[in-house]
Amino acid sequence: QVRLQESGGGSAQPGGSLRLSCAASGFIHRTNCMAWFRQAPGKEREAVAWINSGGFTDVVDSAKGRFTISRENGRNILYLDMNSAKPEDTAMYYCAAGRETWCTTDSADYIAWGRGTQVTVSS
């Protein structure tokens, strides 16, 4: 059973930075896609950033140039570095493990989820 545990959420001022971490335990193949999703109140869950086993990464357009996803395979840790934070980044952020080696933005393609960590950006 795969378990994912997020940490690092909290409050930031606009323009500030946060680093989210996700520790994975249990059986998870290191070639699986890993991703960060977020969900704001009244909105659908959306993929924010994803990374495959080859290290290929991508980020949702609204976060390009501001967010960076990375993974530390030896320790099974996934990171999301959030810079130049905006109020619209406020949401619950979830770590997810994909079913396949390639990444998609469809939450149905992810087989394990963390409980989430809240990020609030306000002045």
Side-chain angles (χ1 to χ4, degrees), residues 2-120:
V2 176
R3 291 189 177 182
L4 303 176
Q5 178 66 56
E6 303 94 339
S7 61
S11 298
Q13 293 189 339
S17 299
L18 284 171
R19 174 175 246 204
L20 307 185
S21 300
C22 171
S25 61
F27 178 78
I28 180 168
H29 203 286
R30 292 180 180 179
T31 61
N32 283 47
C33 171
M34 296 290 294
W36 289 96
F37 283 74
R38 66 185 176 189
Q39 187 166 20
K43 295 188 176 181
E44 293 186 355
R45 188 171 296 191
E46 68 166 347
V48 177
W50 45 98
I51 181 169
N52 68 13
S53 61
F56 174 81
T57 65
D58 204 356
V59 177
V60 67
D61 285 347
S62 61
K64 282 189 187 297
R66 301 188 299 118
F67 290 8
T68 303
I69 186 172
S70 59
R71 67 194 293 176
E72 192 174 343
N73 287 332
R75 296 173 60 196
N76 276 348
I77 300 177
L78 183 72
Y79 299 103
L80 182 68
D81 288 298
M82 305 171 59
N83 297 309
S84 302
K86 300 178 179 181
E88 50 263 45
D89 294 325
T90 296
M92 185 72 79
Y93 283 71
Y94 299 91
C95 172
R99 179 179 295 109
E100 305 290 351
T101 58
W102 59 88
C103 295
T104 76
T105 58
D106 187 346
S107 60
D109 292 328
Y110 291 81
I111 57 174
W113 295 82
R115 292 188 175 184
T117 186
Q118 178 67 39
V119 170
T120 302

